[in-house]
Amino acid sequence: MILSIQSQITAKAADHEGCELLEQGGLIAYPTDTFYGIGCDLMNKKGIQLIHKLKNRPLKQPFLSLYSLKEISLYAQVSNYAYKTMETIAVPGRTPSS
C-alpha cells in the first residue's frame, strides 16, 4: 500500500493509517536532509526483516534507527567520548567541543 497525504485525506487520518501500516510490519519512506530514509516499527520483526530484504542485508547485520541520538541510552551504554563522536557525525557542523 502506498499512502499519500492528499487534500481529501487529513494529516490525522494519514497518521492513523501510517501507524496501522507500521503495526502490521509495513515500511515507510521519509525525507531526510539528503535523500529518503526507510522506516519500520523496531519492535516488529516483520518490518525489520523487510528492511533487511529491501537493502539486501544479512539478518545477522544489525541496524539501529533513532529519533534522536539521546535515545541511544535506551539500547546501549555509551561513553561520553563515543557519544560526542557520534554527535559529531550525526549533526552537521557540530564539533566534539560544541
Side-chain angles (χ1 to χ4, degrees):
M1 170 197 336
I2 297 176
L3 179 63
S4 173
I5 298 178
Q6 300 172 359
S7 58
Q8 304 96 329
I9 301 174
T10 66
K12 187 175 181 178
D15 285 348
H16 178 74
E17 288 186 44
C19 288
E20 284 183 356
L21 180 69
L22 290 172
E23 287 171 359
Q24 295 169 9
L27 304 180
I28 59 169
Y30 56 91
T32 68
D33 58 338
T34 57
F35 202 62
Y36 280 84
I38 303 168
C40 72
D41 176 355
L42 289 177
M43 301 302 170
N44 189 306
K45 190 174 182 177
K46 183 180 174 188
I48 292 170
Q49 289 172 337
L50 279 172
I51 288 181
H52 279 277
K53 184 176 180 178
L54 184 67
K55 297 184 110 189
N56 197 25
R57 174 182 249 171
L59 286 173
K60 292 186 178 185
Q61 184 180 358
F63 65 90
L64 180 61
S65 179
L66 304 171
Y67 174 74
S68 164
L69 191 55
K70 292 176 184 175
E71 291 180 3
I72 193 84
S73 64
L74 298 172
Y75 304 98
Q77 291 181 341
V78 180
S79 70
N80 285 338
Y81 176 78
Y83 182 85
K84 287 181 180 188
T85 301
M86 288 186 284
E87 191 175 42
T88 301
I89 295 167
V91 181
R94 199 88 181 271
T95 62
S97 60
S98 63

